[in-house]
Amino acid sequence: MATADDVRRIALALPGAVEKPAWGMPTFRAGEGGRIFASLDDDDQVIGVKCPKGDREELIAAEPDKFFIRAGHDDNHAWLRVRLGALDDEEELHAVLLDSWRQAAPRRLLEAHPELGGVSGP
């Protein structure tokens, strides 16, 4: 089972990632002063990650025990909640965090790390 320590270790291993508290919980940002790509909920059992709104419904429908949105909070945002205990393994946690990092990372970070699926070219 993935833990808050696993989230922290994997998130901070991503290029430019920094941890910064916000709203009383740890958040992980793509670069100093950058956009949030993950947050740990109060109970350390759930993380929030960036997810295009169009993809959320499909993920939740396919695996509702794993993915959900917090009604009234995530409704209008490109954000998804993930139950750490429902993830298959650490590899899946890494994939979830990396996908979210890609959505939040500034272009310069993406261009500097094409091996992580970043953009290239003009």
Side-chain angles (χ1 to χ4, degrees):
M1 179 174 108
T3 67
D5 288 338
D6 295 327
V7 170
R8 184 170 278 110
R9 178 177 44 79
I10 293 169
L12 292 175
L14 293 168
V18 295
E19 182 174 346
K20 182 178 179 184
W23 309 289
M25 67 184 90
T27 66
F28 302 91
R29 297 168 186 261
E32 192 66 44
R35 293 176 21 201
I36 296 171
F37 70 90
S39 66
L40 271 165
D41 281 9
D42 296 342
D43 63 3
D44 286 348
Q45 301 299 308
V46 172
I47 59 172
V49 293
K50 293 192 70 57
C51 181
K53 284 198 241 179
D55 295 346
R56 292 187 318 181
E57 291 176 26
E58 184 178 325
L59 288 167
I60 293 168
E63 297 183 89
D65 59 323
K66 189 180 292 186
F67 302 112
F68 68 101
I69 61 169
R70 187 182 299 155
H73 184 75
D74 301 327
D75 300 334
N76 298 316
H77 302 284
W79 206 248
L80 180 72
R81 303 293 163 161
V82 182
R83 291 179 182 92
L84 294 176
L87 291 172
D88 295 335
D89 53 28
E90 194 172 295
E91 188 175 313
E92 185 176 25
L93 175 60
H94 182 270
V96 166
L97 289 169
L98 178 58
D99 186 58
S100 186
W101 176 86
R102 284 184 194 121
Q103 294 175 63
R107 186 173 182 89
R108 65 175 169 70
L109 260 181
L110 294 170
E111 289 174 345
H113 298 280
E115 75 280 6
L116 296 178
V119 297
S120 60

